[in-house]
Amino acid sequence: MQRIKELFQNFWFLSGLFVVFKLTLHFLTSTNYELHRDEMLYFAMGNHLDWGFASTPPLMSFLSFIIIKVFGYHEFFIKLFPALAGSLMLIIIALFIKELGGGRAALVTASSAHILSTAMLRSSSLFMPVIFELFFWLLILFFVLKLNNRQDPKNWLWLGVSFGLAFLNKYSVLVLGGSTVLAILISKHRKLLFSKYVLYAFLLFLLIISPNVIWQISHNFPVVTHMSELYRTQLVHVSAGSFFLDQLLMNSSVVLIWMPGLIGVLFFRQEKKYRLFGYIMLLVVLLFLISKGKSYYTLGVYPVMFAFGGYIFEKYFRKQLALIVSICFIQTIIILPFGLPILKQESMKKYSAFFSEYITNAPMRNEDNGYYPIPQDYMDMTGWDELARLVSQAYDRLTREQSKRCTIYANNYGQAGAIDFYGKKYNLPGAVSLNDSYVFWAPDSLTSDIFIVSDHSLGDIPNLFESYQQVGEIDNDCFRENGLKVYLCQNPKPVLYDFYRNRVKEHKALYGF
């Protein structure tokens, strides 16, 4: 009994318990839904290793390559990587607490905040750059803390490496970089910028990112094309009011922990030496607001405030800790289904309707500012297996000879990713698409005379084929592409081949092909 008591009093044993608990949460819920449309795109990149892609740097493709080669096409192992990244963040939070001089109470509070945050739970559930961005941002700010505390400029070298790796995951780390430099400049630590190690760190950063930068240059800067499209279709809907509201809602269940952390570093006289972290957070939020970034782009600065929240409570409000963590736990239980996929589709639909009527419909707001039966992420994790099944029904109608002359064409990367991933069990060939990075992998011309097409309407099909028939349609109001149809098209008109060749040439020209 004494041995068990001693274990629970051990700082690192407690940290390990939180890591195991978080991993278990994700293991139990990781396959309750299908893969997200973006997850399937990133996974497909593993079959096309390169130093860059239409909408993302190369890190996700390297991770996908490892998954494919080691584990194959399994949802569980795809979800394992973000769960591991989210859990490793708890170790960095523990290191952060140690560097601050905090103890077990601070660790328990900060780790609880990370686990109880629905935004962190959702990010750790999705194989996307977001969770790896959160991991790198926390790691970067940990080295900033060491730089701040120890005044040792050699920590700039670790920052150079961390910023470089983070850049290969998501370009938005440049916002954190700019915010960090500005925060140091306006703080009392500005002398840290005037060191030869800053130059060395910058050179390390350039060395790490150079393959992607060269790739960007040789492909007409796809990041610019992607951001222009993003601004035109999604970011145009971002308003200052919704942006600030989302800052509270994203981590609302643990606002009683991260908000005191922010207030403490900004206004407590005794914590003046940590003020630059408050400046960094405010600058990150401000820069993304000005640039009309999505609300969740700021998520990376919140885990640091979880750590400071634990530190502040342990140091100044220790008697209130149990009450605060209990309130956060109750709040999380209420909104947990929006952060962790614990409810299947129909149950989630009912819970969303209840939540919309009696609390708020904010979690059901889509990026187009519309409101739907369930949150957008879940809508993007529904219907893909059914699409692959419908395509297989069309494909199975073909003879062996006909199947060799068949091309499956998808209207967007979500559809193409579903056919590539879920189509494996139906022995379907890979899909062709001209959307996002799929355009890089599309053939320059076609010789097929049989096509299976997924789209919401006939569109150009009557102008390109002599005969066509609808094989099926998806009827699911929880599917973001509800009404998606699958067509079997035969006897192409001569104009088809020129039509495709011109379209693919136009799309590839954007990327320097």
Side-chain angles (χ1 to χ4, degrees), residues 275-287:
R275 196 150 294 170
L276 74 92
F277 289 93
Y279 297 157
I280 289 172
M281 179 169 184
L282 295 179
L283 284 166
V284 165
V285 172
L286 179 63
L287 289 175

Side-chain angles (χ1 to χ4, degrees), residues 211-269:
N212 177 252
V213 173
I214 293 169
W215 183 92
Q216 284 283 340
I217 293 171
S218 63
H219 290 80
N220 293 342
F221 291 96
V223 63
V224 176
T225 302
H226 172 67
M227 290 308 299
S228 298
E229 181 67 14
L230 204 59
Y231 272 103
R232 185 183 67 83
T233 59
Q234 297 179 24
L235 301 185
V236 68
H237 300 295
V238 175
S239 67
S242 63
F243 183 89
F244 279 119
L245 178 62
D246 286 344
Q247 298 311 304
L248 292 174
L249 292 178
M250 286 189 301
N251 292 288
S252 60
S253 58
V254 291
V255 68
L256 294 180
I257 295 175
W258 70 259
M259 185 65 80
L262 177 60
I263 292 171
V265 298
L266 282 176
F267 301 110
F268 285 19
R269 184 186 306 171

Side-chain angles (χ1 to χ4, degrees), residues 28 65 78 107 128 160 246 264-266 269 315 351 361 376 384 398 421 424-425 472:
L28 293 176
F65 177 80
I78 294 173
L107 172 72
M128 296 183 190
D246 286 344
V265 298
L266 282 176
R269 184 186 306 171
K315 190 171 180 180
Y351 193 79
N361 62 355
Q376 177 178 308
W384 302 121
L398 306 177
F421 185 86
K424 284 290 182 184
K425 62 184 175 184

Side-chain angles (χ1 to χ4, degrees), residues 157-177:
L157 300 178
W158 289 110
L159 283 166
V161 173
S162 300
F163 270 111
L165 294 174
F167 183 93
L168 294 181
N169 174 67
K170 211 160 184 257
Y171 301 121
S172 55
V173 74
L174 294 177
V175 173
L176 176 63

